[in-house]
Amino acid sequence: FGHLANPSGQWLKLTDVYYLQQNTPTTPAPKGQPQAQFVLQKLGKAELHAPTDMMVINRDQVTLWENLKSDSPVITKIEEEKKASAK
């Protein structure tokens, strides 16, 4: 997830990048409960190789992109993260 620039060019620039990371539970979830838990992760915060918060993507590798509504759970979580890191 991020802000897409140059959508009509060959190379797309994605900034303010977040991705979903699956956390594996240490104990099995009760029956009827979801097994996997996902955490929204900011690019450049947790990776060992410490990338910058930007991606350049070849347009030929993109199959689709979507705009998210302002009340999307992803947008809500990103806004919460930004407010927490600004303190």
Side-chain angles (χ1 to χ4, degrees):
F1 304 98
H3 295 278
L4 181 63
N6 195 28
S8 61
Q10 182 62 35
W11 296 96
L12 309 176
K13 182 177 177 182
L14 194 65
T15 58
D16 200 20
V17 181
Y18 288 81
Y19 61 93
L20 291 174
Q21 183 174 20
Q22 183 177 354
N23 285 347
T24 306
T26 55
T27 58
K31 188 174 182 177
Q33 297 293 320
Q35 291 286 336
Q37 296 179 3
F38 292 92
V39 175
L40 196 62
Q41 187 70 47
K42 176 86 167 137
L43 181 65
K45 291 249 180 171
E47 300 84 10
L48 182 61
H49 60 292
T52 60
D53 183 25
M54 183 200 57
M55 296 175 72
V56 178
I57 306 164
N58 185 334
R59 183 180 183 78
D60 294 340
Q61 301 300 311
V62 176
T63 55
L64 69 95
W65 68 73
E66 298 176 317
N67 294 321
L68 301 180
K69 296 178 184 177
S70 61
D71 63 347
S72 159
V74 170
I75 297 297
T76 302
K77 189 68 174 171
I78 288 172
E79 292 301 322
E80 288 173 5
E81 174 75 23
K82 286 181 179 182
K83 285 179 186 176
S85 66
K87 291 182 179 180

Coordinates of all heavy atoms in Angstrom, one line a residue:
F1 N 0.9 -1.2 0.0 CA 0.0 0.0 0.0 C 0.9 1.2 0.0 O 1.9 1.2 0.6 CB -0.9 0.0 1.2 CG -1.7 -1.2 1.4 CD1 -1.3 -2.2 2.2 CD2 -2.9 -1.4 0.7 CE1 -2.1 -3.4 2.4 CE2 -3.7 -2.5 0.9 CZ -3.2 -3.5 1.7
G2 N 0.5 2.3 -0.7 CA 1.3 3.5 -0.7 C 0.7 4.5 -1.7 O -0.4 4.3 -2.3
H3 N 1.5 5.5 -1.9 CA 1.1 6.6 -2.8 C 1.8 6.4 -4.2 O 3.0 6.3 -4.2 CB 1.5 8.0 -2.3 CG 0.8 8.3 -1.0 ND1 -0.5 8.9 -1.0 CD2 1.1 8.2 0.3 CE1 -0.9 9.1 0.2 NE2 0.1 8.7 1.0
L4 N 1.0 6.2 -5.2 CA 1.5 5.9 -6.5 C 1.7 7.2 -7.3 O 0.8 8.1 -7.4 CB 0.5 5.0 -7.3 CG 0.8 4.6 -8.7 CD1 2.1 3.7 -8.7 CD2 -0.3 3.8 -9.3
A5 N 2.9 7.3 -7.9 CA 3.2 8.5 -8.8 C 3.6 7.9 -10.1 O 4.0 6.8 -10.3 CB 4.4 9.2 -8.2
N6 N 3.4 8.8 -11.1 CA 3.7 8.5 -12.5 C 2.9 7.2 -13.1 O 3.5 6.3 -13.6 CB 5.2 8.2 -12.7 CG 5.6 8.3 -14.1 OD1 5.0 8.9 -15.0 ND2 6.7 7.5 -14.5
P7 N 1.6 7.2 -12.8 CA 0.8 6.0 -13.2 C 0.8 5.8 -14.8 O 0.4 4.7 -15.2 CB -0.6 6.3 -12.7 CG -0.7 7.8 -12.5 CD 0.7 8.2 -12.2
S8 N 1.1 6.7 -15.5 CA 1.1 6.5 -17.0 C 2.5 6.2 -17.6 O 2.6 5.9 -18.7 CB 0.5 7.7 -17.7 OG 1.3 8.9 -17.4
G9 N 3.5 6.2 -16.7 CA 4.9 6.0 -17.2 C 5.2 4.5 -17.2 O 4.5 3.7 -16.6
Q10 N 6.4 4.2 -17.7 CA 6.9 2.8 -17.6 C 7.3 2.4 -16.2 O 7.2 1.2 -15.9 CB 8.1 2.6 -18.6 CG 8.6 1.2 -18.7 CD 7.6 0.2 -19.2 OE1 6.8 0.4 -20.0 NE2 7.7 -1.0 -18.6
W11 N 7.9 3.3 -15.5 CA 8.3 3.0 -14.1 C 7.4 3.8 -13.1 O 7.4 5.0 -13.1 CB 9.8 3.4 -13.9 CG 10.7 2.6 -14.8 CD1 11.1 3.0 -16.1 CD2 11.1 1.3 -14.6 NE1 11.9 2.0 -16.6 CE2 11.9 0.9 -15.7 CE3 11.0 0.4 -13.5 CZ2 12.5 -0.3 -15.8 CZ3 11.6 -0.8 -13.6 CH2 12.3 -1.2 -14.7
L12 N 6.8 3.0 -12.3 CA 5.8 3.6 -11.3 C 6.6 3.8 -10.0 O 7.4 3.0 -9.6 CB 4.7 2.6 -11.0 CG 3.9 2.1 -12.3 CD1 2.9 1.2 -11.9 CD2 3.3 3.3 -13.0
K13 N 6.3 4.9 -9.3 CA 7.0 5.2 -8.1 C 6.0 5.1 -6.9 O 4.9 5.7 -7.0 CB 7.6 6.6 -8.1 CG 8.4 6.9 -6.8 CD 9.0 8.3 -7.0 CE 9.7 8.8 -5.7 NZ 10.2 10.1 -5.9
L14 N 6.3 4.2 -6.0 CA 5.4 4.0 -4.8 C 6.1 4.6 -3.6 O 7.2 4.2 -3.3 CB 5.1 2.6 -4.6 CG 3.9 2.2 -3.7 CD1 2.6 2.7 -4.3 CD2 3.8 0.7 -3.5
T15 N 5.5 5.5 -2.9 CA 6.1 6.1 -1.7 C 5.1 5.9 -0.5 O 4.0 5.6 -0.7 CB 6.4 7.6 -1.9 OG1 5.1 8.3 -2.2 CG2 7.4 7.9 -3.0
D16 N 5.6 6.2 0.7 CA 4.9 6.0 1.9 C 4.3 4.5 1.9 O 3.1 4.3 2.0 CB 3.7 7.0 2.0 CG 3.2 7.1 3.4 OD1 3.9 6.8 4.4 OD2 2.1 7.6 3.6
V17 N 5.2 3.6 1.8 CA 4.9 2.2 1.5 C 4.6 1.4 2.8 O 5.4 1.5 3.8 CB 6.0 1.5 0.7 CG1 5.7 0.0 0.4 CG2 6.3 2.3 -0.6
Y18 N 3.5 0.7 2.8 CA 3.2 -0.3 3.9 C 2.8 -1.6 3.2 O 2.4 -1.7 2.1 CB 1.9 0.2 4.6 CG 2.2 1.4 5.5 CD1 2.2 2.7 5.0 CD2 2.4 1.3 6.9 CE1 2.4 3.8 5.8 CE2 2.6 2.3 7.7 CZ 2.6 3.6 7.2 OH 2.8 4.7 8.0
Y19 N 3.0 -2.7 4.0 CA 2.7 -4.0 3.5 C 2.1 -4.8 4.6 O 2.3 -4.5 5.8 CB 3.9 -4.7 2.8 CG 5.0 -4.9 3.7 CD1 5.2 -6.1 4.4 CD2 6.0 -3.9 3.9 CE1 6.3 -6.3 5.2 CE2 7.1 -4.1 4.7 CZ 7.2 -5.3 5.4 OH 8.3 -5.5 6.2
L20 N 1.4 -5.9 4.3 CA 0.9 -6.8 5.3 C 1.9 -7.9 5.6 O 2.4 -8.5 4.7 CB -0.4 -7.5 4.8 CG -1.6 -6.5 4.7 CD1 -2.8 -7.2 4.1 CD2 -2.0 -5.9 6.1
Q21 N 2.2 -8.1 6.9 CA 3.1 -9.2 7.3 C 2.3 -10.1 8.1 O 1.6 -9.7 9.1 CB 4.3 -8.6 8.1 CG 5.3 -9.6 8.5 CD 6.5 -9.0 9.1 OE1 6.4 -7.9 9.6 NE2 7.6 -9.7 9.1
Q22 N 2.4 -11.4 7.9 CA 1.7 -12.4 8.6 C 2.5 -12.8 9.9 O 3.7 -13.2 9.8 CB 1.4 -13.7 7.8 CG 0.6 -14.7 8.5 CD 0.3 -15.9 7.6 OE1 0.6 -15.9 6.4 NE2 -0.3 -16.9 8.2
N23 N 1.8 -12.7 11.0 CA 2.4 -13.2 12.3 C 1.9 -14.6 12.5 O 0.7 -14.8 12.5 CB 2.1 -12.3 13.4 CG 2.9 -11.0 13.4 OD1 3.8 -10.9 12.6 ND2 2.4 -10.0 14.2
T24 N 2.8 -15.5 12.7 CA 2.4 -16.9 13.0 C 2.2 -17.0 14.5 O 3.1 -16.7 15.3 CB 3.5 -17.9 12.6 OG1 3.8 -17.6 11.2 CG2 3.0 -19.3 12.8
P25 N 1.0 -17.4 14.9 CA 0.7 -17.6 16.4 C 1.5 -18.7 17.0 O 1.8 -19.7 16.3 CB -0.8 -17.9 16.4 CG -1.3 -18.1 15.1 CD -0.2 -17.7 14.1
T26 N 1.9 -18.5 18.2 CA 2.7 -19.5 18.9 C 1.9 -20.6 19.4 O 2.4 -21.7 19.6 CB 3.5 -18.9 20.1 OG1 2.6 -18.2 21.0 CG2 4.5 -17.9 19.6
T27 N 0.6 -20.4 19.6 CA -0.3 -21.5 20.0 C -1.5 -21.5 19.1 O -1.9 -20.5 18.5 CB -0.9 -21.2 21.5 OG1 -1.6 -19.9 21.5 CG2 0.2 -21.2 22.5
P28 N -2.0 -22.7 18.9 CA -3.1 -22.8 17.9 C -4.3 -22.0 18.4 O -4.6 -21.9 19.6 CB -3.5 -24.3 18.0 CG -2.3 -25.0 18.6 CD -1.6 -24.0 19.5
A29 N -5.0 -21.4 17.4 CA -6.2 -20.7 17.7 C -7.4 -21.6 18.1 O -7.4 -22.7 17.6 CB -6.6 -19.8 16.5
P30 N -8.3 -21.1 18.9 CA -9.5 -22.0 19.2 C -10.3 -22.2 18.0 O -10.2 -21.5 17.0 CB -10.3 -21.1 20.2 CG -9.3 -20.1 20.7 CD -8.3 -19.9 19.7
K31 N -11.0 -23.4 18.0 CA -11.8 -23.7 16.8 C -12.8 -22.6 16.5 O -13.4 -22.0 17.3 CB -12.6 -25.0 17.2 CG -13.3 -25.6 16.0 CD -13.9 -26.9 16.3 CE -14.6 -27.5 15.0 NZ -15.2 -28.8 15.3
G32 N -12.8 -22.3 15.2 CA -13.7 -21.3 14.7 C -13.0 -19.9 14.6 O -13.6 -18.9 14.1
Q33 N -11.8 -19.8 15.2 CA -11.1 -18.5 15.2 C -10.1 -18.5 14.0 O -9.5 -19.6 13.7 CB -10.4 -18.3 16.5 CG -11.3 -18.2 17.7 CD -12.2 -16.9 17.6 OE1 -11.7 -15.9 17.2 NE2 -13.4 -17.0 17.9
P34 N -9.8 -17.4 13.5 CA -8.8 -17.3 12.4 C -7.4 -17.7 12.9 O -7.1 -17.3 14.0 CB -8.8 -15.9 11.9 CG -9.7 -15.1 12.9 CD -10.4 -16.1 13.8
Q35 N -6.7 -18.4 12.1 CA -5.3 -18.9 12.5 C -4.3 -17.7 12.3 O -3.5 -17.5 13.2 CB -4.9 -20.1 11.7 CG -5.7 -21.3 12.0 CD -5.3 -21.9 13.3 OE1 -4.2 -21.7 13.8 NE2 -6.2 -22.7 13.9
A36 N -4.3 -17.1 11.2 CA -3.3 -16.1 10.8 C -3.7 -14.7 11.4 O -4.9 -14.4 11.4 CB -3.1 -16.1 9.3
Q37 N -2.7 -14.0 11.8 CA -2.9 -12.6 12.1 C -2.0 -11.8 11.3 O -0.8 -12.1 11.0 CB -2.5 -12.4 13.6 CG -3.5 -13.1 14.5 CD -3.1 -12.9 16.0 OE1 -2.1 -12.2 16.3 NE2 -3.8 -13.6 16.9
F38 N -2.5 -10.7 10.8 CA -1.7 -9.8 9.9 C -1.4 -8.5 10.6 O -2.3 -7.9 11.3 CB -2.4 -9.6 8.6 CG -2.5 -10.8 7.8 CD1 -3.6 -11.7 7.9 CD2 -1.5 -11.2 6.9 CE1 -3.7 -12.8 7.1 CE2 -1.5 -12.3 6.1 CZ -2.6 -13.1 6.2
V39 N -0.2 -8.0 10.4 CA 0.2 -6.7 10.9 C 0.6 -5.8 9.7 O 1.2 -6.2 8.8 CB 1.4 -6.8 11.8 CG1 1.9 -5.5 12.3 CG2 1.0 -7.7 13.0
L40 N 0.1 -4.5 9.8 CA 0.5 -3.6 8.7 C 1.9 -3.0 9.1 O 2.1 -2.5 10.2 CB -0.5 -2.4 8.7 CG -0.5 -1.6 7.5 CD1 -0.8 -2.4 6.2 CD2 -1.5 -0.4 7.6
Q41 N 2.9 -3.2 8.2 CA 4.3 -2.9 8.4 C 4.7 -1.8 7.5 O 4.5 -1.8 6.3 CB 5.1 -4.1 8.2 CG 6.6 -4.0 8.6 CD 6.7 -3.9 10.1 OE1 6.2 -4.6 10.9 NE2 7.5 -2.9 10.5
K42 N 5.4 -0.8 8.1 CA 6.0 0.3 7.3 C 7.3 -0.1 6.6 O 8.1 -0.7 7.3 CB 6.2 1.5 8.2 CG 6.9 2.7 7.5 CD 5.9 3.5 6.9 CE 6.5 4.9 6.4 NZ 6.1 5.3 5.1
L43 N 7.4 0.1 5.4 CA 8.7 -0.3 4.7 C 9.8 0.5 5.2 O 9.7 1.7 5.4 CB 8.6 -0.1 3.2 CG 9.8 -0.5 2.3 CD1 10.0 -2.0 2.4 CD2 9.6 0.0 0.9
G44 N 10.9 -0.2 5.6 CA 12.1 0.4 6.1 C 12.2 0.4 7.6 O 13.2 0.8 8.2
K45 N 11.2 -0.1 8.3 CA 11.2 -0.1 9.8 C 11.7 -1.4 10.3 O 12.3 -1.4 11.4 CB 9.8 0.2 10.3 CG 9.3 1.6 10.1 CD 9.3 2.3 11.4 CE 8.8 3.7 11.1 NZ 8.5 4.4 12.4
A46 N 11.4 -2.5 9.7 CA 11.7 -3.8 10.3 C 12.6 -4.7 9.5 O 13.0 -5.8 10.0 CB 10.4 -4.6 10.6
E47 N 12.9 -4.3 8.3 CA 13.7 -5.2 7.4 C 15.2 -5.1 7.8 O 15.7 -4.0 8.0 CB 13.5 -4.8 5.9 CG 12.1 -4.9 5.5 CD 11.3 -3.7 5.8 OE1 11.8 -2.7 6.2 OE2 10.0 -3.8 5.7
L48 N 15.9 -6.2 7.7 CA 17.3 -6.3 8.1 C 18.1 -5.4 7.1 O 19.1 -4.8 7.5 CB 17.7 -7.8 8.0 CG 19.2 -8.0 8.4 CD1 19.5 -7.6 9.8 CD2 19.5 -9.5 8.2
H49 N 17.7 -5.4 5.8 CA 18.5 -4.7 4.8 C 18.2 -3.2 4.8 O 18.8 -2.4 4.1 CB 18.4 -5.3 3.5 CG 17.0 -5.3 2.9 ND1 15.9 -6.1 3.5 CD2 16.4 -4.6 1.9 CE1 14.8 -5.9 2.8 NE2 15.1 -5.0 1.9
A50 N 17.2 -2.7 5.6 CA 16.9 -1.3 5.8 C 16.7 -0.5 4.5 O 17.4 0.4 4.2 CB 18.0 -0.6 6.6
P51 N 15.7 -0.9 3.7 CA 15.4 -0.2 2.5 C 14.8 1.2 2.7 O 14.3 1.5 3.8 CB 14.4 -1.1 1.8 CG 13.6 -1.7 2.9 CD 14.7 -2.0 4.0
T52 N 14.9 2.1 1.7 CA 14.3 3.4 1.9 C 12.8 3.2 1.7 O 12.3 2.2 1.2 CB 14.8 4.4 0.8 OG1 14.5 3.8 -0.5 CG2 16.3 4.6 0.9
D53 N 12.0 4.2 2.0 CA 10.6 4.1 2.0 C 10.1 4.5 0.6 O 9.3 5.5 0.4 CB 9.9 5.0 3.0 CG 8.4 4.9 3.1 OD1 7.9 3.9 2.6 OD2 7.8 5.9 3.5
M54 N 10.5 3.8 -0.4 CA 10.1 4.0 -1.8 C 10.4 2.8 -2.6 O 11.4 2.1 -2.4 CB 10.9 5.2 -2.4 CG 10.5 5.5 -3.8 SD 11.7 6.4 -4.8 CE 13.1 5.4 -4.8
M55 N 9.5 2.5 -3.6 CA 9.7 1.4 -4.5 C 9.5 1.9 -5.9 O 8.6 2.8 -6.2 CB 8.6 0.3 -4.2 CG 8.7 -0.3 -2.9 SD 7.4 -1.5 -2.6 CE 7.9 -2.8 -3.7
V56 N 10.3 1.4 -6.8 CA 10.2 1.7 -8.3 C 9.8 0.4 -8.9 O 10.5 -0.6 -8.8 CB 11.5 2.3 -8.9 CG1 11.3 2.5 -10.3 CG2 11.9 3.5 -8.1
I57 N 8.6 0.4 -9.6 CA 8.1 -0.8 -10.1 C 7.9 -0.7 -11.6 O 7.3 0.3 -12.1 CB 6.7 -1.1 -9.4 CG1 6.8 -1.1 -7.9 CG2 6.1 -2.4 -9.9 CD1 5.5 -0.9 -7.2
N58 N 8.3 -1.7 -12.3 CA 8.1 -1.8 -13.8 C 6.6 -2.0 -14.0 O 6.0 -2.9 -13.5 CB 8.9 -3.0 -14.3 CG 8.9 -3.0 -15.8 OD1 7.9 -2.6 -16.5 ND2 9.9 -3.6 -16.4
R59 N 6.1 -1.1 -14.8 CA 4.6 -1.1 -15.2 C 4.2 -2.5 -15.7 O 3.1 -3.0 -15.5 CB 4.3 0.0 -16.1 CG 2.8 0.1 -16.5 CD 2.6 1.2 -17.5 NE 1.2 1.3 -17.7 CZ 0.3 1.9 -16.9 NH1 0.7 2.4 -15.8 NH2 -0.9 2.0 -17.2
D60 N 5.1 -3.2 -16.4 CA 4.8 -4.5 -17.0 C 4.5 -5.5 -15.9 O 3.9 -6.6 -16.2 CB 5.9 -5.0 -17.9 CG 6.1 -4.1 -19.1 OD1 5.1 -3.4 -19.5 OD2 7.2 -4.2 -19.7
Q61 N 4.9 -5.3 -14.7 CA 4.7 -6.3 -13.6 C 3.5 -6.0 -12.8 O 3.2 -6.7 -11.9 CB 6.0 -6.2 -12.7 CG 7.3 -6.6 -13.3 CD 7.2 -7.9 -13.9 OE1 6.9 -8.9 -13.3 NE2 7.6 -8.0 -15.2
V62 N 2.8 -4.9 -13.1 CA 1.6 -4.5 -12.4 C 0.3 -5.0 -13.1 O 0.1 -4.8 -14.3 CB 1.5 -3.0 -12.2 CG1 0.2 -2.6 -11.5 CG2 2.7 -2.5 -11.5
T63 N -0.5 -5.8 -12.4 CA -1.7 -6.3 -12.9 C -2.9 -5.4 -12.6 O -3.9 -5.3 -13.4 CB -2.0 -7.7 -12.5 OG1 -2.0 -7.8 -11.1 CG2 -1.0 -8.7 -13.0
L64 N -2.9 -4.7 -11.5 CA -3.9 -3.8 -11.1 C -3.5 -2.9 -9.9 O -2.5 -3.2 -9.3 CB -5.2 -4.5 -10.7 CG -5.2 -5.3 -9.4 CD1 -5.8 -4.5 -8.3 CD2 -6.0 -6.6 -9.6
W65 N -4.2 -1.8 -9.8 CA -4.1 -1.1 -8.5 C -5.5 -0.5 -8.2 O -6.3 -0.4 -9.0 CB -3.0 0.0 -8.6 CG -3.3 1.2 -9.5 CD1 -4.2 2.2 -9.3 CD2 -2.6 1.5 -10.7 NE1 -4.1 3.1 -10.4 CE2 -3.2 2.7 -11.2 CE3 -1.6 0.8 -11.4 CZ2 -2.7 3.2 -12.4 CZ3 -1.2 1.4 -12.6 CH2 -1.8 2.6 -13.1
E66 N -5.7 -0.3 -6.9 CA -7.0 0.2 -6.5 C -6.7 1.4 -5.6 O -5.8 1.5 -4.8 CB -7.7 -0.8 -5.7 CG -8.0 -2.1 -6.4 CD -8.7 -3.1 -5.6 OE1 -8.2 -3.4 -4.4 OE2 -9.6 -3.7 -6.0
N67 N -7.7 2.4 -5.6 CA -7.7 3.5 -4.7 C -8.5 3.0 -3.5 O -9.6 2.4 -3.6 CB -8.3 4.7 -5.3 CG -7.5 5.2 -6.4 OD1 -6.2 5.3 -6.3 ND2 -8.1 5.7 -7.5
L68 N -8.0 3.3 -2.3 CA -8.7 2.9 -1.1 C -9.6 4.1 -0.6 O -9.2 5.2 -0.7 CB -7.7 2.6 0.0 CG -6.8 1.4 -0.3 CD1 -5.9 1.1 0.9 CD2 -7.6 0.2 -0.7
K69 N -10.8 3.7 0.0 CA -11.7 4.7 0.6 C -11.0 5.3 1.9 O -10.2 4.6 2.5 CB -13.0 4.1 0.9 CG -13.8 3.6 -0.3 CD -15.0 2.9 0.2 CE -15.8 2.3 -1.0 NZ -17.0 1.6 -0.5
S70 N -11.4 6.5 2.2 CA -10.8 7.1 3.4 C -11.2 6.3 4.7 O -10.5 6.4 5.7 CB -11.3 8.5 3.5 OG -12.7 8.6 3.6
D71 N -12.3 5.5 4.7 CA -12.6 4.8 5.9 C -12.2 3.3 5.8 O -12.6 2.5 6.6 CB -14.1 4.8 6.1 CG -15.0 4.2 5.0 OD1 -14.4 3.9 3.9 OD2 -16.2 4.0 5.2
S72 N -11.3 3.0 4.9 CA -10.7 1.7 4.8 C -10.0 1.3 6.0 O -9.3 2.2 6.6 CB -9.7 1.6 3.6 OG -8.8 0.6 3.7
P73 N -10.0 0.1 6.5 CA -9.3 -0.3 7.7 C -7.8 -0.1 7.5 O -7.1 0.2 8.5 CB -9.6 -1.8 7.9 CG -10.9 -2.0 7.2 CD -10.9 -1.0 6.1
V74 N -7.3 -0.3 6.3 CA -5.9 -0.1 6.1 C -5.5 1.4 6.2 O -4.5 1.8 6.9 CB -5.5 -0.5 4.6 CG1 -4.0 -0.1 4.3 CG2 -5.6 -2.1 4.5
I75 N -6.3 2.3 5.7 CA -6.1 3.7 5.8 C -6.2 4.2 7.3 O -5.3 4.9 7.8 CB -7.1 4.5 4.9 CG1 -6.9 4.2 3.4 CG2 -6.9 6.0 5.2 CD1 -5.5 4.6 2.9
T76 N -7.2 3.6 8.0 CA -7.3 4.0 9.4 C -6.1 3.6 10.2 O -5.6 4.3 11.0 CB -8.6 3.2 9.9 OG1 -9.7 3.7 9.2 CG2 -8.8 3.6 11.4
K77 N -5.6 2.4 9.9 CA -4.4 1.9 10.6 C -3.2 2.7 10.3 O -2.3 3.0 11.2 CB -4.2 0.4 10.3 CG -3.1 -0.3 11.1 CD -3.6 -0.4 12.5 CE -2.6 -1.2 13.3 NZ -2.8 -1.2 14.7
I78 N -3.0 3.1 9.0 CA -1.9 3.9 8.6 C -1.9 5.3 9.3 O -0.9 5.8 9.8 CB -1.8 4.1 7.1 CG1 -1.4 2.8 6.4 CG2 -0.9 5.2 6.7 CD1 -1.5 2.8 4.9
E79 N -3.1 5.9 9.4 CA -3.3 7.2 10.0 C -2.9 7.0 11.5 O -2.3 7.9 12.1 CB -4.7 7.7 9.8 CG -5.0 8.1 8.4 CD -4.0 9.2 7.8 OE1 -3.6 10.1 8.6 OE2 -3.7 9.1 6.7
E80 N -3.4 5.9 12.2 CA -3.1 5.7 13.6 C -1.5 5.6 13.8 O -1.0 6.2 14.7 CB -3.7 4.4 14.1 CG -5.2 4.5 14.2 CD -5.9 3.2 14.6 OE1 -5.1 2.2 14.8 OE2 -7.1 3.2 14.6
E81 N -0.9 4.9 12.9 CA 0.6 4.7 12.9 C 1.3 6.0 12.8 O 2.2 6.3 13.5 CB 1.0 3.7 11.8 CG 2.5 3.6 11.7 CD 3.1 2.7 12.8 OE1 2.4 1.9 13.4 OE2 4.3 2.9 13.0
K82 N 0.8 6.9 11.9 CA 1.4 8.2 11.6 C 1.3 9.1 12.9 O 2.2 9.8 13.3 CB 0.9 8.9 10.4 CG 1.3 8.2 9.1 CD 0.7 9.0 7.9 CE 1.2 8.4 6.6 NZ 0.7 9.1 5.5
K83 N 0.1 9.1 13.5 CA -0.1 9.9 14.7 C 0.8 9.4 15.8 O 1.3 10.2 16.6 CB -1.6 9.8 15.1 CG -2.5 10.6 14.2 CD -4.0 10.5 14.7 CE -4.9 11.2 13.7 NZ -6.3 11.0 14.0
A84 N 0.9 8.1 16.0 CA 1.7 7.5 17.1 C 3.2 7.9 16.9 O 3.9 8.2 17.8 CB 1.5 6.0 17.2
S85 N 3.7 7.8 15.7 CA 5.1 8.1 15.4 C 5.4 9.6 15.5 O 6.5 10.0 15.6 CB 5.5 7.5 14.1 OG 4.9 8.1 13.0
A86 N 4.4 10.4 15.3 CA 4.6 11.9 15.4 C 4.7 12.4 16.8 O 5.2 13.5 17.0 CB 3.4 12.6 14.7
K87 N 4.3 11.6 17.8 CA 4.4 12.0 19.2 C 5.8 11.9 19.7 O 6.6 11.2 19.4 CB 3.4 11.1 20.0 CG 2.0 11.4 19.7 CD 1.1 10.6 20.6 CE -0.4 10.9 20.3 NZ -1.3 10.1 21.1

